[in-house]
Amino acid sequence: MTAKMGIARTKGKGNKKIYLRIFIVIIIVASVINVCGLTVGAVFLTRSISHAIENDMLVAIDIADLYVTKEIELLKIKAAEAARDIRLFFEAGEREGILDRVCAKYLMYKGLGVFSETTLLDFCGQFSVSQDLLHEPFMQIAFAGGQAVSTTMYSLENDLVMYVSAPIKDGLVLAAVLPGLYLSNKVSQLKFWQSGHLFIDDAEGVVISNIREDWVLQRRNFIELAKTDNRYEWVSAMVKRGIAGERGTARFSVDGVPRICAFRPISSPTEEWFVGIIAPLNESVLSDIPGSILLMGIITFILSIIAATGAAIILKRPYEEADNLRRDAEIASISKTTFLANMSHEIRTPMNSIIGFSDLAMDGETSPKTRDYLDKIHTNAEWLLHIINDILDISKIESGKMELENIPFDLHKLFSSCRTLIMPKAIEKGIILHFYAEPSIGRMPVGDPTRLRQVLINLLTNAVKFTNTGMVKLHTAIKNISRKNITMYFEVKDSGIGMTPEQIKKVFKPFAQAEAGITRKYGGTGLGLSISKNIVEMMGGTLSVESTSGIGSKFSFELTFDTIDVADDEMFEKKVALNVLEKPTFEGEILLFEDNVMNQQVICEHLSRVGLKTIVAENGKIGVEIVKNRIANNEKLFDLIFMDIHMPVMDGLEASNRIFELNTGIPIVAITANIMSEDMKIYKQSGMSDCMGKPFTSQELWHCLMKYFTPVFHEPGDKHTQVEADVELQRSLQLLFIKSNKERFHEIIKALEAGDIKLAHRLAHSLKGNAGQLGKIILQQAASDVESRLKSGENKVTKEQLQTLETELNAVLTEFSTLLDGCREEPEFQSYPDKQLLDEESAQKLIEELEPILKMGNPDCGKFIDGLRLIPYDDDLKIKLIQQIEDFDFGPACITLAELKEKSKLC
């Protein structure tokens, strides 16, 4: 028994040892597994959390960029408003003390300075404005028409300041002064973790915004500090990456504290800064990982003694937490996507730059392959910008932030621009376009032409897109007209694929198409009709749709506009010449810059009689574009340019400079009534080759032309024929004088009463030229006296001068008044008893030959007048077209010809 008990005790001790060994082995194995598992888990957890932190910081820095960019844009807006106020004071003739008044209105600015292109004109405020700012890049941006915010710099009083520039007008620029800590005070309000903060550095690495004011005031530059102190090498490397335009993260130590930083360039296009977020790593969740792992190990060790499964459960926790962090990162990514969608209007700025620079690149000399790439870049950028604009428009509409303009507009010009845009795609698909706008004679609607055009373009684009054969029609009719407003009906109709009733119900929903397959087959975002519907409703109308599947669709709406009375367009000067018997004959083409119809007629007639072709530009901007288009299309350049000096939109001096910049080598001759010695000096200094005064004689013109053309031959003229031609031209000019100048005196008085000295000066200048062309010397002198008194931009005209002008103008109008009674509507316009009407084929040929000449604004279209009277179509349209051609009113004439051409197809 005792033996058995001993054996039993020995066995018990052995079992205990075994149990102890098993226990120890289990503990060791469990510990090894736990240590390995926890170590691996800690590594993965740390990396996952670290990656999530960097992602969160990148999202945060994008939001910070939005905040900073908005602050910069707000500063620019306020500066632009201040510039506008200054401009209004200047235009009103007020100069004394206006900067103090404007500065008091915009409290954020501590000083204002007004610069010309050469000097500081005036300044006010607690900080002085230095003349040296004139050469700063941010000021040059403003002189070019943009806006910019400067980096921090020291004022004349050695205070830290910043500047915001904005163009005023006529080469003047405003520099608004901000305290140097302005942005710091703004962005220091934003915190990240406990002590993390935003900072902004400029393109040189100088700190311009930081929570540490001393760094900003000292304009600390870590790039420069790193050159002498290796403690700042890592900070310097991060700053260099930010300056290079990189968006990313970096880790380094500042004052012995490990820190993490996210940075990116700001979105503002004119400030080459970058914004960053910097925070100590010990404030992140990474600092909690060591303690958490230790606690986890202890708990796991205790639980491993009880059960091995406890260890597995504990080991799962890091992965579960990592998965949660990944989900958080995905949510952050979704938030980022939403953020970018809300930033669509910010994306438009670089998109516009892409389109603009690709346009500029295509204007230069490039290889065919490169031009093809640029063309594709331009096309796709425009399409992307269209999508972005649609997204922005729909968001504006839904948020109630879309505003409508209220300005006068020409409905015929609006239709013409729509037709120009839609025509290429319609021609490509073989679709007939029909446009008609019922005229509102003497009245012009007031509204938002840009948004109305957007609606019509959306409707027309859809109509052409979903029509494979047939016709697309844009039609407007006047439903009601009163003294103050007009109600118009708009309709876009097509013969396309049409829609079913079910499809019509959802056609106006955003991001929706009539059916799922349409987007894939026809393309588009489904935003156009939704935007159009909302815009029409904002204008007070309702967009309706009628459609039948397989037959076509019709979209229509009615809008009521306020109206204004429309005065006769300003007519242009002409001149009677060619009173000699011999004249030279030349070969070549001349571009004439001239805004006066009478002058256009006279000069074109002169040039035509000596064999030269003429293209007319109504103002400097149009003429410059004509020259650019010829260069872009590799067409033959003009042999000579005649340049009027006083023109609307863009005057002759500016237009000449633009052409000289193109390096065409085309000689430019000034043709103007202002030929005083000081004027001649200005023309010569601007690079013009010659100057010819108005009015001029045939001999003067021929003498000028001989400098630039070699005569083909000289031909004797028929004196009787030329005299008859001069008499007819003289009669035409007298008639034009009555039409264009019967209200001229009242127009001058009205402009003076409104304070529009520039307009009054131009009207007097035009009247002086008209009178000179017709030999009315006394009236010419009276108009010249008024003009000279307005030349300085101030109204120095006396009552006696105005009375003399009115008296002399009425005398000339009375002398020519018999012409007005005898030129109403000639019988030959209505019937042609002694002439054979043209047959259908000849009439169509005449219209086809006239159309391109009329679109070019070529006065040779006047040679088609006799033929137009004999075409067998609508007499009213023929009379209207002939009158427009005789008045050199080429834009409306193109529209009338299109109507006549369309009606001829229906005959």
Coordinates of all heavy atoms in Angstrom, one line a residue, residues 677-710:
S677 N 0.3 119.2 -85.8 CA 1.6 118.7 -85.7 C 1.8 117.7 -84.5 O 2.5 116.7 -84.6 CB 2.6 119.9 -85.5 OG 2.2 120.7 -84.4
E678 N 1.2 118.0 -83.4 CA 1.3 117.1 -82.2 C 0.7 115.8 -82.5 O 1.1 114.7 -82.1 CB 0.7 117.8 -81.0 CG -0.8 118.1 -81.2 CD -1.3 118.8 -79.9 OE1 -0.5 119.3 -79.1 OE2 -2.6 118.8 -79.8
D679 N -0.5 115.8 -83.3 CA -1.1 114.5 -83.6 C -0.2 113.7 -84.6 O 0.0 112.5 -84.4 CB -2.5 114.8 -84.3 CG -3.4 115.5 -83.4 OD1 -3.5 115.1 -82.2 OD2 -4.1 116.4 -83.8
M680 N 0.4 114.4 -85.6 CA 1.3 113.7 -86.5 C 2.5 113.1 -85.8 O 2.9 112.0 -86.1 CB 1.8 114.7 -87.6 CG 0.7 115.4 -88.4 SD -0.1 114.3 -89.5 CE 1.2 114.3 -90.8
K681 N 2.9 113.8 -84.8 CA 4.1 113.2 -84.0 C 3.7 112.0 -83.3 O 4.4 111.0 -83.2 CB 4.5 114.3 -83.0 CG 5.8 113.9 -82.2 CD 6.2 115.0 -81.2 CE 7.4 114.6 -80.5 NZ 7.9 115.7 -79.5
I682 N 2.5 111.9 -82.7 CA 2.0 110.7 -82.0 C 1.9 109.6 -83.0 O 2.3 108.4 -82.7 CB 0.6 111.0 -81.4 CG1 0.8 112.0 -80.2 CG2 0.0 109.7 -80.9 CD1 -0.5 112.5 -79.6
Y683 N 1.3 109.8 -84.2 CA 1.2 108.7 -85.2 C 2.6 108.2 -85.6 O 2.7 107.0 -85.7 CB 0.5 109.3 -86.5 CG -0.9 109.9 -86.2 CD1 -1.3 111.0 -87.0 CD2 -1.6 109.6 -85.1 CE1 -2.5 111.6 -86.7 CE2 -2.8 110.2 -84.8 CZ -3.3 111.2 -85.6 OH -4.5 111.9 -85.4
K684 N 3.5 109.1 -85.8 CA 4.9 108.6 -86.2 C 5.5 107.8 -85.1 O 6.1 106.8 -85.3 CB 5.7 109.9 -86.5 CG 7.1 109.5 -87.1 CD 7.8 110.7 -87.5 CE 9.2 110.4 -88.1 NZ 10.0 111.6 -88.5
Q685 N 5.4 108.3 -83.8 CA 6.0 107.6 -82.7 C 5.3 106.2 -82.5 O 6.0 105.3 -82.0 CB 5.8 108.4 -81.4 CG 6.7 109.6 -81.4 CD 6.4 110.5 -80.1 OE1 5.4 110.3 -79.4 NE2 7.3 111.4 -79.9
S686 N 4.1 106.1 -82.9 CA 3.4 104.8 -82.7 C 3.8 103.8 -83.8 O 3.4 102.6 -83.8 CB 1.9 104.9 -82.8 OG 1.5 105.3 -84.1
G687 N 4.6 104.2 -84.8 CA 5.1 103.3 -85.9 C 4.3 103.4 -87.2 O 4.6 102.6 -88.1
M688 N 3.4 104.3 -87.3 CA 2.6 104.4 -88.6 C 3.5 105.0 -89.7 O 4.3 105.8 -89.4 CB 1.4 105.2 -88.4 CG 0.3 104.6 -87.4 SD -1.2 105.6 -87.4 CE -2.1 104.7 -86.2
S689 N 3.3 104.5 -90.9 CA 4.1 104.8 -92.0 C 3.8 106.2 -92.6 O 4.7 106.9 -93.1 CB 4.0 103.8 -93.1 OG 4.3 102.5 -92.6
D690 N 2.6 106.6 -92.4 CA 2.1 107.9 -93.1 C 0.9 108.3 -92.5 O 0.3 107.6 -91.6 CB 1.9 107.6 -94.6 CG 2.1 108.9 -95.4 OD1 2.1 110.0 -94.8 OD2 2.2 108.8 -96.6
C691 N 0.4 109.5 -92.8 CA -0.9 110.1 -92.4 C -1.5 110.8 -93.5 O -0.9 111.6 -94.2 CB -0.6 111.0 -91.1 SG -2.2 111.7 -90.5
M692 N -2.8 110.6 -93.6 CA -3.6 111.3 -94.6 C -4.8 112.0 -94.0 O -5.5 111.3 -93.2 CB -4.1 110.4 -95.7 CG -4.7 111.1 -96.9 SD -4.9 109.9 -98.3 CE -5.9 108.7 -97.6
G693 N -5.0 113.3 -94.2 CA -6.1 114.0 -93.5 C -7.4 113.7 -94.2 O -7.5 113.4 -95.3
K694 N -8.5 113.9 -93.3 CA -9.8 113.9 -93.8 C -10.5 115.3 -93.7 O -10.3 115.9 -92.6 CB -10.7 112.9 -93.0 CG -10.3 111.4 -93.3 CD -11.3 110.5 -92.7 CE -11.3 110.5 -91.2 NZ -12.1 109.4 -90.5
P695 N -11.1 115.8 -94.7 CA -11.3 115.2 -96.1 C -10.0 115.3 -96.9 O -9.2 116.1 -96.7 CB -12.4 116.0 -96.7 CG -12.3 117.4 -96.0 CD -11.8 117.1 -94.6
F696 N -9.9 114.4 -97.9 CA -8.8 114.4 -98.8 C -9.2 114.5 -100.2 O -10.4 114.2 -100.6 CB -7.9 113.1 -98.6 CG -8.7 111.9 -98.7 CD1 -9.0 111.3 -100.0 CD2 -9.3 111.2 -97.6 CE1 -9.7 110.2 -100.1 CE2 -10.0 110.1 -97.7 CZ -10.2 109.5 -99.0
T697 N -8.3 114.8 -101.1 CA -8.6 114.9 -102.5 C -8.1 113.6 -103.2 O -7.4 112.8 -102.6 CB -7.9 116.1 -103.2 OG1 -6.4 115.8 -103.1 CG2 -8.2 117.4 -102.5
S698 N -8.6 113.4 -104.4 CA -8.1 112.2 -105.2 C -6.6 112.2 -105.3 O -6.0 111.2 -105.2 CB -8.8 112.2 -106.5 OG -10.2 112.2 -106.4
Q699 N -6.1 113.4 -105.6 CA -4.7 113.4 -105.9 C -3.9 113.1 -104.6 O -2.9 112.4 -104.6 CB -4.3 114.8 -106.3 CG -4.8 115.2 -107.7 CD -4.1 114.4 -108.8 OE1 -3.0 113.9 -108.6 NE2 -4.8 114.1 -109.9
E700 N -4.4 113.5 -103.4 CA -3.7 113.2 -102.2 C -3.8 111.7 -101.9 O -2.8 111.1 -101.5 CB -4.4 113.9 -101.0 CG -4.2 115.4 -101.0 CD -5.0 116.2 -100.0 OE1 -6.1 115.6 -99.6 OE2 -4.7 117.3 -99.7
L701 N -4.9 111.1 -102.2 CA -5.0 109.6 -102.0 C -4.1 108.9 -103.0 O -3.4 108.0 -102.6 CB -6.5 109.2 -102.2 CG -6.7 107.7 -102.2 CD1 -6.4 107.1 -100.8 CD2 -8.1 107.3 -102.6
W702 N -4.1 109.3 -104.2 CA -3.3 108.6 -105.2 C -1.8 108.8 -104.9 O -1.0 107.9 -105.0 CB -3.5 109.2 -106.6 CG -5.0 108.9 -107.1 CD1 -5.8 108.1 -106.5 CD2 -5.6 109.5 -108.2 NE1 -7.0 108.1 -107.2 CE2 -6.9 109.0 -108.2 CE3 -5.2 110.5 -109.1 CZ2 -7.9 109.4 -109.1 CZ3 -6.2 110.9 -110.1 CH2 -7.5 110.3 -110.1
H703 N -1.4 110.0 -104.4 CA 0.0 110.3 -104.0 C 0.4 109.3 -102.9 O 1.5 108.8 -102.9 CB 0.1 111.7 -103.6 CG 1.5 112.1 -103.2 ND1 2.5 112.3 -104.1 CD2 2.1 112.2 -102.0 CE1 3.7 112.6 -103.5 NE2 3.4 112.5 -102.2
C704 N -0.5 109.1 -101.9 CA -0.2 108.2 -100.8 C -0.1 106.8 -101.4 O 0.8 106.0 -101.0 CB -1.3 108.3 -99.8 SG -1.2 107.2 -98.4
L705 N -1.0 106.3 -102.2 CA -1.0 105.0 -102.7 C 0.2 104.7 -103.5 O 0.7 103.5 -103.5 CB -2.3 104.7 -103.6 CG -3.6 104.7 -102.8 CD1 -4.8 104.6 -103.8 CD2 -3.7 103.6 -101.8
M706 N 0.7 105.7 -104.2 CA 1.9 105.5 -105.1 C 3.1 105.1 -104.2 O 4.1 104.5 -104.7 CB 2.2 106.8 -105.9 CG 1.2 107.1 -106.9 SD 1.2 106.0 -108.3 CE 2.6 106.7 -109.2
K707 N 3.1 105.4 -102.9 CA 4.3 105.0 -102.1 C 4.3 103.5 -101.8 O 5.3 103.0 -101.4 CB 4.2 105.8 -100.7 CG 4.3 107.3 -100.9 CD 4.1 107.9 -99.5 CE 4.1 109.4 -99.6 NZ 3.9 110.1 -98.2
Y708 N 3.1 102.9 -101.9 CA 3.0 101.5 -101.5 C 2.6 100.5 -102.6 O 2.6 99.3 -102.4 CB 2.0 101.3 -100.3 CG 2.3 102.3 -99.2 CD1 1.6 103.5 -99.1 CD2 3.3 102.1 -98.3 CE1 1.9 104.4 -98.1 CE2 3.6 103.0 -97.3 CZ 2.9 104.1 -97.2 OH 3.2 105.0 -96.2
F709 N 2.2 101.0 -103.8 CA 1.8 100.2 -104.9 C 2.5 100.7 -106.2 O 2.8 101.9 -106.3 CB 0.2 100.3 -105.1 CG -0.6 99.7 -104.0 CD1 -1.0 100.5 -103.0 CD2 -0.9 98.4 -104.0 CE1 -1.8 100.0 -101.9 CE2 -1.7 97.9 -102.9 CZ -2.1 98.7 -101.9
T710 N 2.7 99.8 -107.1 CA 3.2 100.1 -108.4 C 2.0 100.1 -109.4 O 1.3 99.1 -109.5 CB 4.2 99.1 -108.9 OG1 5.3 99.1 -107.9 CG2 4.8 99.5 -110.2

